mmCIF file of all heavy atoms in Angstrom:
data_model
loop_
_atom_site.group_PDB
_atom_site.id
_atom_site.type_symbol
_atom_site.label_atom_id
_atom_site.label_comp_id
_atom_site.label_asym_id
_atom_site.label_seq_id
_atom_site.Cartn_x
_atom_site.Cartn_y
_atom_site.Cartn_z
ATOM 1 N N ALA A 139 -105.379 52.212 -17.731
ATOM 2 C CA ALA A 139 -105.819 50.967 -18.377
ATOM 3 C C ALA A 139 -107.032 50.396 -17.645
ATOM 4 O O ALA A 139 -107.084 50.376 -16.412
ATOM 5 C CB ALA A 139 -104.673 49.953 -18.390
ATOM 6 N N LYS A 140 -108.019 49.928 -18.414
ATOM 7 C CA LYS A 140 -109.267 49.420 -17.833
ATOM 8 C C LYS A 140 -109.282 47.903 -17.664
ATOM 9 O O LYS A 140 -110.043 47.383 -16.854
ATOM 10 C CB LYS A 140 -110.452 49.844 -18.711
ATOM 11 C CG LYS A 140 -110.569 51.355 -18.914
ATOM 12 C CD LYS A 140 -110.696 52.094 -17.595
ATOM 13 C CE LYS A 140 -110.843 53.604 -17.814
ATOM 14 N NZ LYS A 140 -110.793 54.351 -16.528
ATOM 15 N N THR A 141 -108.489 47.215 -18.444
ATOM 16 C CA THR A 141 -108.476 45.755 -18.364
ATOM 17 C C THR A 141 -107.038 45.252 -18.289
ATOM 18 O O THR A 141 -106.093 45.946 -18.700
ATOM 19 C CB THR A 141 -109.151 45.117 -19.594
ATOM 20 O OG1 THR A 141 -108.368 45.395 -20.765
ATOM 21 C CG2 THR A 141 -110.564 45.658 -19.783
ATOM 22 N N VAL A 142 -106.903 44.033 -17.778
ATOM 23 C CA VAL A 142 -105.582 43.407 -17.703
ATOM 24 C C VAL A 142 -105.007 43.229 -19.098
ATOM 25 O O VAL A 142 -103.807 43.430 -19.324
ATOM 26 C CB VAL A 142 -105.672 42.054 -16.970
ATOM 27 C CG1 VAL A 142 -104.373 41.267 -17.121
ATOM 28 C CG2 VAL A 142 -105.988 42.267 -15.493
ATOM 29 N N GLU A 143 -105.846 42.874 -20.056
ATOM 30 C CA GLU A 143 -105.387 42.686 -21.439
ATOM 31 C C GLU A 143 -104.829 43.993 -22.006
ATOM 32 O O GLU A 143 -103.787 44.005 -22.679
ATOM 33 C CB GLU A 143 -106.529 42.176 -22.320
ATOM 34 C CG GLU A 143 -106.997 40.762 -22.001
ATOM 35 C CD GLU A 143 -107.834 40.676 -20.728
ATOM 36 O OE1 GLU A 143 -108.319 41.738 -20.247
ATOM 37 O OE2 GLU A 143 -107.996 39.561 -20.202
ATOM 38 N N GLU A 144 -105.517 45.104 -21.735
ATOM 39 C CA GLU A 144 -105.031 46.402 -22.210
ATOM 40 C C GLU A 144 -103.700 46.750 -21.557
ATOM 41 O O GLU A 144 -102.776 47.250 -22.212
ATOM 42 C CB GLU A 144 -106.064 47.482 -21.898
ATOM 43 C CG GLU A 144 -105.652 48.887 -22.347
ATOM 44 C CD GLU A 144 -106.607 49.974 -21.887
ATOM 45 O OE1 GLU A 144 -107.662 49.643 -21.301
ATOM 46 O OE2 GLU A 144 -106.290 51.159 -22.107
ATOM 47 N N PHE A 145 -103.577 46.477 -20.272
ATOM 48 C CA PHE A 145 -102.351 46.760 -19.530
ATOM 49 C C PHE A 145 -101.176 45.993 -20.128
ATOM 50 O O PHE A 145 -100.106 46.559 -20.396
ATOM 51 C CB PHE A 145 -102.550 46.366 -18.058
ATOM 52 C CG PHE A 145 -101.478 46.833 -17.123
ATOM 53 C CD1 PHE A 145 -101.625 48.004 -16.402
ATOM 54 C CD2 PHE A 145 -100.321 46.083 -16.932
ATOM 55 C CE1 PHE A 145 -100.637 48.430 -15.515
ATOM 56 C CE2 PHE A 145 -99.333 46.497 -16.055
ATOM 57 C CZ PHE A 145 -99.496 47.675 -15.344
ATOM 58 N N ARG A 146 -101.390 44.700 -20.364
ATOM 59 C CA ARG A 146 -100.314 43.869 -20.908
ATOM 60 C C ARG A 146 -99.957 44.270 -22.342
ATOM 61 O O ARG A 146 -98.786 44.211 -22.748
ATOM 62 C CB ARG A 146 -100.715 42.387 -20.845
ATOM 63 C CG ARG A 146 -100.567 41.787 -19.453
ATOM 64 C CD ARG A 146 -101.235 40.428 -19.326
ATOM 65 N NE ARG A 146 -100.739 39.493 -20.324
ATOM 66 C CZ ARG A 146 -99.632 38.753 -20.190
ATOM 67 N NH1 ARG A 146 -98.889 38.870 -19.105
ATOM 68 N NH2 ARG A 146 -99.276 37.898 -21.132
ATOM 69 N N LYS A 147 -100.956 44.698 -23.108
ATOM 70 C CA LYS A 147 -100.676 45.138 -24.481
ATOM 71 C C LYS A 147 -99.836 46.412 -24.476
ATOM 72 O O LYS A 147 -98.920 46.574 -25.295
ATOM 73 C CB LYS A 147 -101.971 45.382 -25.252
ATOM 74 C CG LYS A 147 -101.736 45.737 -26.729
ATOM 75 C CD LYS A 147 -103.028 45.917 -27.486
ATOM 76 C CE LYS A 147 -102.760 46.120 -28.981
ATOM 77 N NZ LYS A 147 -101.848 47.258 -29.254
ATOM 78 N N LEU A 148 -100.130 47.324 -23.545
ATOM 79 C CA LEU A 148 -99.326 48.543 -23.430
ATOM 80 C C LEU A 148 -97.866 48.199 -23.121
ATOM 81 O O LEU A 148 -96.942 48.777 -23.697
ATOM 82 C CB LEU A 148 -99.895 49.448 -22.331
ATOM 83 C CG LEU A 148 -101.194 50.179 -22.656
ATOM 84 C CD1 LEU A 148 -101.803 50.772 -21.381
ATOM 85 C CD2 LEU A 148 -100.938 51.297 -23.679
ATOM 86 N N VAL A 149 -97.682 47.252 -22.214
ATOM 87 C CA VAL A 149 -96.318 46.821 -21.860
ATOM 88 C C VAL A 149 -95.620 46.228 -23.073
ATOM 89 O O VAL A 149 -94.458 46.548 -23.365
ATOM 90 C CB VAL A 149 -96.361 45.807 -20.701
ATOM 91 C CG1 VAL A 149 -94.984 45.181 -20.486
ATOM 92 C CG2 VAL A 149 -96.831 46.474 -19.416
ATOM 93 N N ASP A 150 -96.326 45.373 -23.798
ATOM 94 C CA ASP A 150 -95.745 44.738 -24.981
ATOM 95 C C ASP A 150 -95.408 45.772 -26.055
ATOM 96 O O ASP A 150 -94.335 45.726 -26.675
ATOM 97 C CB ASP A 150 -96.720 43.699 -25.541
ATOM 98 C CG ASP A 150 -96.142 42.937 -26.718
ATOM 99 O OD1 ASP A 150 -95.142 42.226 -26.530
ATOM 100 O OD2 ASP A 150 -96.680 43.058 -27.841
ATOM 101 N N ASP A 151 -96.315 46.726 -26.275
ATOM 102 C CA ASP A 151 -96.068 47.765 -27.289
ATOM 103 C C ASP A 151 -94.864 48.618 -26.913
ATOM 104 O O ASP A 151 -94.026 48.939 -27.773
ATOM 105 C CB ASP A 151 -97.307 48.654 -27.445
ATOM 106 C CG ASP A 151 -98.439 47.964 -28.184
ATOM 107 O OD1 ASP A 151 -98.189 46.911 -28.796
ATOM 108 O OD2 ASP A 151 -99.572 48.487 -28.154
ATOM 109 N N LYS A 152 -94.765 48.985 -25.646
ATOM 110 C CA LYS A 152 -93.645 49.820 -25.221
ATOM 111 C C LYS A 152 -92.325 49.071 -25.343
ATOM 112 O O LYS A 152 -91.320 49.623 -25.808
ATOM 113 C CB LYS A 152 -93.855 50.261 -23.763
ATOM 114 C CG LYS A 152 -92.753 51.152 -23.205
ATOM 115 C CD LYS A 152 -92.701 52.488 -23.917
ATOM 116 C CE LYS A 152 -91.692 53.417 -23.255
ATOM 117 N NZ LYS A 152 -91.550 54.696 -23.974
ATOM 118 N N GLU A 153 -92.336 47.798 -24.965
ATOM 119 C CA GLU A 153 -91.108 47.004 -25.026
ATOM 120 C C GLU A 153 -90.629 46.833 -26.455
ATOM 121 O O GLU A 153 -89.427 46.741 -26.713
ATOM 122 C CB GLU A 153 -91.335 45.640 -24.378
ATOM 123 C CG GLU A 153 -90.077 44.804 -24.260
ATOM 124 C CD GLU A 153 -90.288 43.518 -23.498
ATOM 125 O OE1 GLU A 153 -91.447 43.154 -23.238
ATOM 126 O OE2 GLU A 153 -89.284 42.867 -23.159
ATOM 127 N N ASN A 154 -91.569 46.818 -27.401
ATOM 128 C CA ASN A 154 -91.223 46.603 -28.809
ATOM 129 C C ASN A 154 -91.306 47.874 -29.646
ATOM 130 O O ASN A 154 -91.457 47.816 -30.865
ATOM 131 C CB ASN A 154 -92.131 45.514 -29.399
ATOM 132 C CG ASN A 154 -91.848 44.149 -28.806
ATOM 133 O OD1 ASN A 154 -90.848 43.523 -29.118
ATOM 134 N ND2 ASN A 154 -92.742 43.680 -27.918
ATOM 135 N N ASP A 155 -91.227 49.026 -28.956
ATOM 136 C CA ASP A 155 -91.177 50.336 -29.627
ATOM 137 C C ASP A 155 -92.396 50.611 -30.496
ATOM 138 O O ASP A 155 -92.309 51.293 -31.520
ATOM 139 C CB ASP A 155 -89.899 50.462 -30.477
ATOM 140 C CG ASP A 155 -88.636 50.374 -29.637
ATOM 141 O OD1 ASP A 155 -88.630 50.938 -28.530
ATOM 142 O OD2 ASP A 155 -87.677 49.719 -30.081
ATOM 143 N N ARG A 156 -93.574 50.102 -30.078
ATOM 144 C CA ARG A 156 -94.804 50.383 -30.814
ATOM 145 C C ARG A 156 -95.728 51.320 -30.045
ATOM 146 O O ARG A 156 -96.787 51.689 -30.553
ATOM 147 C CB ARG A 156 -95.556 49.076 -31.100
ATOM 148 C CG ARG A 156 -94.833 48.107 -32.030
ATOM 149 C CD ARG A 156 -95.755 46.981 -32.471
ATOM 150 N NE ARG A 156 -96.269 46.229 -31.342
ATOM 151 C CZ ARG A 156 -95.736 45.100 -30.891
ATOM 152 N NH1 ARG A 156 -94.651 44.588 -31.481
ATOM 153 N NH2 ARG A 156 -96.262 44.464 -29.861
ATOM 154 N N PHE A 157 -95.352 51.684 -28.833
ATOM 155 C CA PHE A 157 -96.238 52.503 -28.008
ATOM 156 C C PHE A 157 -96.330 53.918 -28.556
ATOM 157 O O PHE A 157 -95.326 54.564 -28.854
ATOM 158 C CB PHE A 157 -95.734 52.555 -26.565
ATOM 159 C CG PHE A 157 -96.479 53.527 -25.697
ATOM 160 C CD1 PHE A 157 -97.760 53.222 -25.246
ATOM 161 C CD2 PHE A 157 -95.923 54.746 -25.358
ATOM 162 C CE1 PHE A 157 -98.460 54.127 -24.454
ATOM 163 C CE2 PHE A 157 -96.614 55.653 -24.561
ATOM 164 C CZ PHE A 157 -97.889 55.341 -24.107
ATOM 165 N N VAL A 158 -97.572 54.391 -28.689
ATOM 166 C CA VAL A 158 -97.838 55.768 -29.105
ATOM 167 C C VAL A 158 -98.751 56.392 -28.064
ATOM 168 O O VAL A 158 -99.827 55.846 -27.769
ATOM 169 C CB VAL A 158 -98.501 55.827 -30.494
ATOM 170 C CG1 VAL A 158 -98.785 57.270 -30.872
ATOM 171 C CG2 VAL A 158 -97.622 55.157 -31.544
ATOM 172 N N ALA A 159 -98.360 57.513 -27.492
ATOM 173 C CA ALA A 159 -99.179 58.171 -26.479
ATOM 174 C C ALA A 159 -100.524 58.563 -27.075
ATOM 175 O O ALA A 159 -100.595 58.995 -28.232
ATOM 176 C CB ALA A 159 -98.459 59.407 -25.944
ATOM 177 N N PRO A 160 -101.628 58.430 -26.316
ATOM 178 C CA PRO A 160 -102.954 58.751 -26.840
ATOM 179 C C PRO A 160 -103.061 60.152 -27.425
ATOM 180 O O PRO A 160 -103.749 60.374 -28.415
ATOM 181 C CB PRO A 160 -103.858 58.603 -25.600
ATOM 182 C CG PRO A 160 -103.129 57.646 -24.731
ATOM 183 C CD PRO A 160 -101.670 57.916 -24.948
ATOM 184 N N SER A 161 -102.374 61.108 -26.829
ATOM 185 C CA SER A 161 -102.426 62.492 -27.332
ATOM 186 C C SER A 161 -101.059 62.912 -27.851
ATOM 187 O O SER A 161 -100.605 64.021 -27.606
ATOM 188 C CB SER A 161 -102.884 63.434 -26.218
ATOM 189 O OG SER A 161 -102.018 63.335 -25.103
ATOM 190 N N ALA A 162 -100.411 61.976 -28.529
ATOM 191 C CA ALA A 162 -99.040 62.238 -28.982
ATOM 192 C C ALA A 162 -98.983 63.415 -29.936
ATOM 193 O O ALA A 162 -99.782 63.545 -30.853
ATOM 194 C CB ALA A 162 -98.484 61.000 -29.663
ATOM 195 N N THR A 163 -98.066 64.289 -29.690
ATOM 196 C CA THR A 163 -97.777 65.392 -30.609
ATOM 197 C C THR A 163 -96.313 65.288 -30.982
ATOM 198 O O THR A 163 -95.508 64.753 -30.227
ATOM 199 C CB THR A 163 -98.048 66.757 -29.947
ATOM 200 O OG1 THR A 163 -97.275 66.850 -28.747
ATOM 201 C CG2 THR A 163 -99.533 66.906 -29.599
ATOM 202 N N GLU A 164 -95.997 65.798 -32.100
ATOM 203 C CA GLU A 164 -94.616 65.678 -32.569
ATOM 204 C C GLU A 164 -93.704 66.511 -31.701
ATOM 205 O O GLU A 164 -93.875 67.727 -31.558
ATOM 206 C CB GLU A 164 -94.524 66.151 -34.024
ATOM 207 C CG GLU A 164 -93.257 65.664 -34.703
ATOM 208 C CD GLU A 164 -93.325 65.838 -36.204
ATOM 209 O OE1 GLU A 164 -94.369 65.506 -36.800
ATOM 210 O OE2 GLU A 164 -92.351 66.337 -36.761
ATOM 211 N N GLU A 165 -92.749 65.855 -31.077
ATOM 212 C CA GLU A 165 -91.827 66.554 -30.197
ATOM 213 C C GLU A 165 -90.742 67.240 -31.002
ATOM 214 O O GLU A 165 -90.311 66.737 -32.043
ATOM 215 C CB GLU A 165 -91.176 65.569 -29.217
ATOM 216 C CG GLU A 165 -92.157 64.951 -28.245
ATOM 217 C CD GLU A 165 -91.451 64.096 -27.222
ATOM 218 O OE1 GLU A 165 -90.203 64.028 -27.278
ATOM 219 O OE2 GLU A 165 -92.142 63.504 -26.379
ATOM 220 N N PRO A 166 -90.291 68.397 -30.523
ATOM 221 C CA PRO A 166 -89.202 69.059 -31.225
ATOM 222 C C PRO A 166 -87.944 68.207 -31.192
ATOM 223 O O PRO A 166 -87.691 67.498 -30.211
ATOM 224 C CB PRO A 166 -89.004 70.362 -30.428
ATOM 225 C CG PRO A 166 -89.603 70.078 -29.076
ATOM 226 C CD PRO A 166 -90.732 69.128 -29.331
ATOM 227 N N ALA A 167 -87.205 68.244 -32.271
ATOM 228 C CA ALA A 167 -85.979 67.447 -32.339
ATOM 229 C C ALA A 167 -84.994 67.928 -31.289
ATOM 230 O O ALA A 167 -84.900 69.114 -30.987
ATOM 231 C CB ALA A 167 -85.365 67.571 -33.729
ATOM 232 N N ALA A 168 -84.285 66.976 -30.709
ATOM 233 C CA ALA A 168 -83.277 67.324 -29.706
ATOM 234 C C ALA A 168 -82.183 68.151 -30.353
ATOM 235 O O ALA A 168 -81.862 67.991 -31.530
ATOM 236 C CB ALA A 168 -82.689 66.057 -29.101
ATOM 237 N N ALA A 169 -81.634 69.056 -29.568
ATOM 238 C CA ALA A 169 -80.559 69.894 -30.084
ATOM 239 C C ALA A 169 -79.374 69.027 -30.467
ATOM 240 O O ALA A 169 -79.124 67.986 -29.871
ATOM 241 C CB ALA A 169 -80.148 70.908 -29.016
ATOM 242 N N ALA A 170 -78.654 69.466 -31.475
ATOM 243 C CA ALA A 170 -77.480 68.712 -31.910
ATOM 244 C C ALA A 170 -76.414 68.762 -30.817
ATOM 245 O O ALA A 170 -76.275 69.765 -30.118
ATOM 246 C CB ALA A 170 -76.927 69.302 -33.200
ATOM 247 N N PRO A 171 -75.687 67.664 -30.608
ATOM 248 C CA PRO A 171 -74.618 67.670 -29.607
ATOM 249 C C PRO A 171 -73.644 68.823 -29.835
ATOM 250 O O PRO A 171 -73.337 69.183 -30.968
ATOM 251 C CB PRO A 171 -73.935 66.317 -29.831
ATOM 252 C CG PRO A 171 -75.010 65.453 -30.409
ATOM 253 C CD PRO A 171 -75.819 66.372 -31.276
ATOM 254 N N LYS A 172 -73.160 69.395 -28.734
ATOM 255 C CA LYS A 172 -72.326 70.586 -28.821
ATOM 256 C C LYS A 172 -70.831 70.265 -28.855
ATOM 257 O O LYS A 172 -70.007 71.164 -28.891
ATOM 258 C CB LYS A 172 -72.619 71.489 -27.617
ATOM 259 C CG LYS A 172 -74.073 71.937 -27.529
ATOM 260 C CD LYS A 172 -74.325 72.694 -26.242
ATOM 261 C CE LYS A 172 -75.791 73.086 -26.104
ATOM 262 N NZ LYS A 172 -76.068 73.752 -24.821
ATOM 263 N N ALA A 173 -70.480 69.004 -28.806
ATOM 264 C CA ALA A 173 -69.054 68.659 -28.782
ATOM 265 C C ALA A 173 -68.841 67.314 -29.436
ATOM 266 O O ALA A 173 -69.773 66.542 -29.624
ATOM 267 C CB ALA A 173 -68.540 68.649 -27.342
ATOM 268 N N ASP A 174 -67.585 67.031 -29.785
ATOM 269 C CA ASP A 174 -67.276 65.755 -30.429
ATOM 270 C C ASP A 174 -66.798 64.716 -29.417
ATOM 271 O O ASP A 174 -66.261 63.683 -29.794
ATOM 272 C CB ASP A 174 -66.211 65.962 -31.512
ATOM 273 C CG ASP A 174 -64.928 66.567 -30.954
ATOM 274 O OD1 ASP A 174 -64.887 66.847 -29.739
ATOM 275 O OD2 ASP A 174 -63.984 66.757 -31.734
ATOM 276 N N HIS A 175 -66.993 65.005 -28.134
ATOM 277 C CA HIS A 175 -66.637 64.039 -27.098
ATOM 278 C C HIS A 175 -67.831 63.877 -26.171
ATOM 279 O O HIS A 175 -68.807 64.622 -26.247
ATOM 280 C CB HIS A 175 -65.413 64.522 -26.306
ATOM 281 C CG HIS A 175 -65.659 65.798 -25.555
ATOM 282 N ND1 HIS A 175 -65.642 67.031 -26.166
ATOM 283 C CD2 HIS A 175 -65.962 66.038 -24.247
ATOM 284 C CE1 HIS A 175 -65.901 67.979 -25.280
ATOM 285 N NE2 HIS A 175 -66.106 67.404 -24.105
ATOM 286 N N ILE A 176 -67.776 62.890 -25.293
ATOM 287 C CA ILE A 176 -68.852 62.683 -24.329
ATOM 288 C C ILE A 176 -68.734 63.750 -23.241
ATOM 289 O O ILE A 176 -67.744 63.813 -22.523
ATOM 290 C CB ILE A 176 -68.779 61.269 -23.731
ATOM 291 C CG1 ILE A 176 -68.943 60.225 -24.831
ATOM 292 C CG2 ILE A 176 -69.854 61.084 -22.665
ATOM 293 C CD1 ILE A 176 -68.741 58.799 -24.372
ATOM 294 N N GLN A 177 -69.767 64.591 -23.151
ATOM 295 C CA GLN A 177 -69.692 65.731 -22.232
ATOM 296 C C GLN A 177 -70.056 65.383 -20.792
ATOM 297 O O GLN A 177 -69.482 65.918 -19.853
ATOM 298 C CB GLN A 177 -70.613 66.849 -22.744
ATOM 299 C CG GLN A 177 -70.155 67.422 -24.086
ATOM 300 C CD GLN A 177 -71.296 68.102 -24.825
ATOM 301 O OE1 GLN A 177 -72.179 67.453 -25.349
ATOM 302 N NE2 GLN A 177 -71.271 69.417 -24.848
ATOM 303 N N ILE A 178 -71.058 64.526 -20.630
ATOM 304 C CA ILE A 178 -71.507 64.141 -19.292
ATOM 305 C C ILE A 178 -71.268 62.645 -19.081
ATOM 306 O O ILE A 178 -71.720 61.822 -19.876
ATOM 307 C CB ILE A 178 -72.999 64.449 -19.094
ATOM 308 C CG1 ILE A 178 -73.239 65.958 -19.066
ATOM 309 C CG2 ILE A 178 -73.522 63.811 -17.803
ATOM 310 C CD1 ILE A 178 -72.684 66.651 -17.831
ATOM 311 N N LEU A 179 -70.556 62.319 -18.017
ATOM 312 C CA LEU A 179 -70.370 60.926 -17.607
ATOM 313 C C LEU A 179 -71.072 60.740 -16.261
ATOM 314 O O LEU A 179 -71.107 61.665 -15.441
ATOM 315 C CB LEU A 179 -68.889 60.588 -17.456
ATOM 316 C CG LEU A 179 -68.008 60.692 -18.702
ATOM 317 C CD1 LEU A 179 -66.573 60.330 -18.333
ATOM 318 C CD2 LEU A 179 -68.518 59.787 -19.808
ATOM 319 N N ALA A 180 -71.610 59.550 -16.053
ATOM 320 C CA ALA A 180 -72.272 59.284 -14.774
ATOM 321 C C ALA A 180 -72.077 57.822 -14.393
ATOM 322 O O ALA A 180 -71.863 56.959 -15.238
ATOM 323 C CB ALA A 180 -73.764 59.610 -14.863
ATOM 324 N N VAL A 181 -72.162 57.579 -13.087
ATOM 325 C CA VAL A 181 -72.169 56.226 -12.536
ATOM 326 C C VAL A 181 -73.382 56.137 -11.623
ATOM 327 O O VAL A 181 -73.606 57.025 -10.788
ATOM 328 C CB VAL A 181 -70.896 55.935 -11.721
ATOM 329 C CG1 VAL A 181 -70.953 54.524 -11.131
ATOM 330 C CG2 VAL A 181 -69.652 56.107 -12.573
ATOM 331 N N THR A 182 -74.192 55.091 -11.799
ATOM 332 C CA THR A 182 -75.347 54.896 -10.919
ATOM 333 C C THR A 182 -75.254 53.520 -10.265
ATOM 334 O O THR A 182 -74.826 52.554 -10.892
ATOM 335 C CB THR A 182 -76.681 55.009 -11.682
ATOM 336 O OG1 THR A 182 -76.765 53.999 -12.692
ATOM 337 C CG2 THR A 182 -76.804 56.376 -12.341
#
């Protein structure tokens, strides 16, 4: 980011799900879940 205004706009866009990467390409769809239960549990 070159300006403070651009930096803050990027933050606002990302927070509101409007951020698009400058060289965005369509990502492959995630593989379908392999089970009908939660496979990985974690605590952080």
